[in-house]
Amino acid sequence: LLLSGTTPARKRTEAKVAGAERITSALGHTYKTVWNQAVAGFTSHSFNTDYTQLTTNYIDFNGNVVHSFTVTKGVSPSPSPSPSPSGQCCHYNDNSCNAGDVCCKSSCDDPSSCSYTEYGCQGTYGQIHHCQWNGSTCVVGAASSSSESGPESSSAAAAPLSNEL
């Protein structure tokens, strides 16, 4: 149960829970969503043999690792900024897309900031154009057309899941 935000801090917390990708505090600190998935499960943490690396695994209720990251002592935590994608945005309702295009959220046209999340990349809309996660961005794996594997681009097609992909 979330209460309506009455303070700036509570509003930022509610925005994070709702899936906001970027939030800036009054002091200028920035929060960026790297991965978000609501799933029952737990985390495990393990060090390498010389204790210079710590790996955190997010494990779902079936025992599958759904996300993982490693931090190294003395090195800025990952994920580090990724290079800007070279392709254009490919939307679920585009008739065709080129290999390397970024699979972008609906109503978003900047390939450097509009990529589906890893979870969204594997979902219904990501699969329409054979989108694949490359470690930091969801990209079209091969040139495709929406008629190959997904709904036709029309008003009868299912509506996108807004910015939660």
Side-chain angles (χ1 to χ4, degrees), residues 31-46 54-71 78-79 118:
Y31 166 90
K32 179 183 177 198
T33 300
V34 176
W35 172 79
N36 184 9
Q37 181 180 4
V39 62
F42 59 95
T43 58
S44 71
H45 309 280
S46 57
L54 171 66
T55 299
T56 299
N57 293 312
Y58 290 81
I59 304 168
D60 71 11
F61 59 95
N62 287 318
N64 302 309
V65 175
V66 293
H67 186 70
S68 180
F69 67 91
T70 300
V71 292
S78 62
E118 182 176 7

Side-chain angles (χ1 to χ4, degrees), residues 21-22 32 82-91 94 98 100-105 107-117 133-134 136-140:
E21 287 195 32
R22 225 175 259 282
K32 179 183 177 198
S82 56
S84 296
S86 58
Q88 299 178 26
C89 270
C90 171
H91 296 94
D94 288 345
N98 297 313
D101 283 352
V102 176
C103 301
C104 291
K105 299 172 188 170
S107 302
C108 196
D109 294 317
D110 179 6
S112 67
S113 64
C114 295
S115 171
Y116 287 166
T117 62
W133 188 251
N134 71 5
S136 63
T137 307
C138 184
V139 296
V140 176

